[in-house]
Amino acid sequence: MTVGQTQKIMNVNIVTEQGILEQAILLMKNGKIIYVGPENGQEAEHVYDGKGATLAPGFIDLHVHGGAGFDFMDGTQEAVDGICSFHAKHGTTGLLATTMTAPIERNLEILEFYSNLMENKGAKVVGVHMEGPFINPVLKGAQNGDWIEPPTLANMQRVFAVARPGLVKLMTLAPELVTEDEVFELLREQKVVASVGHSEQNYDGACQCLRKGVNHATHLGNAMKGLHHRDVGIIGLAMQNPEMTFDFICDGIHLSSNFIRILAKACELHQMMLITDAMRAAGLEDGEYDLGGQAVTVHGNEARLADGTLAGSVLTLDKALSNFMQFTKIPLEKAIYLLTMNQAKKLGISDTKGSIKVNKDADLVLLSSEYQVLATWVEGKIVFEKAAN
């Protein structure tokens, strides 16, 4: 079977922008969706029986460091293929290869590597998320403080001199440390989502930065000031202003289920995006691992540095979706936006990704009634299929 053949997925309930289309079919060819609707006897060269399962848009992860023993900072084809194949098993069809704070020369080497990356197995690398080194050392979290750099115009120019146009899709930085407005102007010119994270920014400062284009927040509630009645901070801004989008780690560890429930009531769903922030231990057994040159202990669903600091996660997006629905009681047809269309719109790729619609990429995930991933397609190619029991 090739993507050039007409493929048919039948006997599925399809999650569309208009709602769930029951007992429908989907046709795809050359990596694109060519039909979504009722069964009318359409023929295809390959037929896949969904057996009554739910067909949803493929998930997009804005913040993922690794999985299956690999890290995107490894900078090898083997690492990229390993990470992307692992996350494809959990419904991810597109992701941002997320960097760590490292010596800036290493960050530039990594950007050069991804600038030249042509193809990869599993989920598609749609760009890079630079998480560091332009962060606040006071709230560095599990980032290595020895390698933090100031967010100067000169440093930004070094980044974009190496990265091919359009590679860096998102950059986490501490805007309170920016002393040159040209930094924000350059990020806008490069069409980079400027995201506040690992930051001491207060509410008033965040409002000013929002006007300068910093309109997203990285792992809301973590590595930032908390919600306080005298300074509601970045969290308060997100609750007040629907222009402020944010992502968050829905594992019940980084944020409590009660907090997530409050977010879902206080904010508009289009603001919210599920991420994994997964590190290389995702999918592996408990034990000792490495994250950005620091030792991490994984026990159960938690990954921590020796001092107890949370160090990324071992979360996958299918589990994040299940958790969110359980915590908030929001149904699939609404919750699905938090890991598909919201991300696609933020990255400026919603014309091809983020929903099931004719002429869009055939990025698809087949879900069981318990929201377990049964199969995943990336641009019409099946990259994962769960073995039959």
Side-chain angles (χ1 to χ4, degrees):
M1 180 183 65
T2 66
V3 294
Q5 296 176 313
T6 301
Q7 302 176 63
K8 177 180 181 179
I9 304 175
M10 61 177 288
N11 192 18
V12 286
N13 301 314
I14 303 178
V15 184
T16 72
E17 294 180 41
Q18 290 73 39
I20 297 181
L21 190 61
E22 296 184 353
Q23 290 300 297
I25 69 165
L26 179 144
L27 297 176
M28 52 186 163
K29 186 175 183 179
N30 295 322
K32 297 288 186 179
I33 298 168
I34 60 173
Y35 175 82
V36 181
E39 170 70 77
N40 291 318
Q42 296 94 329
E43 295 184 355
E45 293 160 285
H46 180 80
V47 178
Y48 188 100
D49 188 353
K51 299 179 181 179
T54 297
L55 191 66
F59 307 155
I60 303 171
D61 197 346
L62 300 182
H63 191 151
V64 51
H65 294 281
F70 300 103
D71 191 295
F72 280 119
M73 291 294 288
D74 295 345
T76 67
Q77 187 72 50
E78 180 187 15
V80 174
D81 289 344
I83 296 166
C84 293
S85 294
F86 168 73
H87 285 286
K89 294 178 182 178
H90 297 276
T92 300
T93 57
L95 54 76
L96 296 184
T98 305
T99 66
M100 287 284 294
T101 295
I104 194 163
E105 292 78 12
R106 179 57 181 164
N107 274 296
L108 296 177
E109 290 173 0
I110 289 296
L111 290 175
E112 186 173 7
F113 170 80
Y114 287 105
S115 291
N116 295 314
L117 184 71
M118 300 300 293
E119 293 183 352
N120 63 273
K121 296 178 180 178
K124 183 175 183 177
V125 175
V126 298
V128 165
H129 169 188
M130 289 192 70
E131 188 189 20
F134 310 121
I135 60 175
N136 194 316
V138 175
L139 286 169
K140 61 184 176 62
Q143 306 272 343
N144 194 319
D146 293 339
W147 298 324
I148 291 173
E149 292 279 342
T152 62
L153 179 61
N155 273 335
M156 295 295 171
Q157 288 171 334
R158 293 182 70 186
V159 165
F160 296 112
V162 171
R164 62 170 168 77
L167 175 69
V168 180
K169 299 287 189 186
L170 192 151
M171 182 182 290
T172 294
L173 76 165
E176 71 273 17
L177 303 182
V178 176
T179 60
E180 305 158 282
D181 280 351
E182 291 86 353
V183 168
F184 301 120
E185 294 171 8
L186 180 59
L187 292 176
R188 285 197 300 272
E189 289 172 6
Q190 295 291 329
K191 298 182 180 179
V192 175
V193 175
S195 183
V196 54
H198 294 277
S199 165
E200 282 197 299
Q201 188 68 278
N202 59 21
Y203 172 80
D204 290 336
C207 289
Q208 293 176 19
C209 288
L210 177 60
R211 291 191 287 271
K212 296 176 182 178
V214 184
N215 55 17
H216 190 76
T218 294
H219 44 49
L220 192 78
N222 296 110
M224 62 179 59
K225 290 184 175 181
L227 183 69
H228 190 275
H229 60 282
R230 293 194 184 94
D231 182 5
V232 296
I234 299 162
I235 300 172
L237 176 60
M239 290 180 170
Q240 175 199 351
N241 194 327
E243 292 180 26
M244 189 70 181
T245 60
F246 59 90
D247 54 61
F248 62 106
I249 309 167
C250 191
D251 59 1
I253 299 166
H254 286 78
L255 302 175
S256 74
S257 58
N258 288 330
F259 185 79
I260 291 168
R261 193 156 41 245
I262 290 170
L263 280 180
K265 286 186 175 294
C267 300
E268 296 183 14
L269 290 182
H270 76 80
Q271 295 176 258
M272 306 173 68
M273 304 177 202
L274 297 172
I275 58 168
T276 63
D277 198 6
M279 48 94 70
R280 71 169 75 240
L284 302 180
E285 297 179 352
D286 290 356
E288 302 295 321
Y289 297 92
D290 167 86
L291 180 67
Q294 301 176 102
V296 175
T297 299
V298 174
H299 180 72
N301 294 320
E302 298 185 18
R304 295 183 182 271
L305 300 180
D307 64 3
T309 301
L310 284 168
S313 83
V314 291
L315 187 66
T316 54
L317 280 184
D318 54 346
K319 183 61 177 175
L321 173 63
S322 177
N323 286 344
F324 181 77
M325 293 173 63
Q326 178 185 348
F327 296 161
T328 65
K329 309 306 178 187
I330 290 174
L332 177 65
E333 59 266 32
K334 293 184 178 180
I336 199 70
Y337 278 79
L338 275 69
L339 63 175
T340 57
M341 186 55 105
N342 291 355
Q343 284 86 336
K345 286 182 176 179
K346 197 69 186 181
L347 297 178
I349 57 175
S350 61
D351 56 333
T352 59
K353 297 184 183 294
S355 65
I356 294 179
K357 189 176 182 181
V358 170
N359 294 325
K360 284 197 173 187
D361 291 343
D363 292 344
L364 310 164
V365 56
L366 190 67
L367 300 171
S368 72
S369 57
E370 292 80 28
Y371 307 110
Q372 294 182 337
V373 176
L374 302 175
T376 307
W377 291 261
V378 175
E379 296 181 354
K381 180 181 179 181
I382 191 163
V383 297
F384 169 71
E385 185 175 7
K386 187 175 182 180
N389 293 330

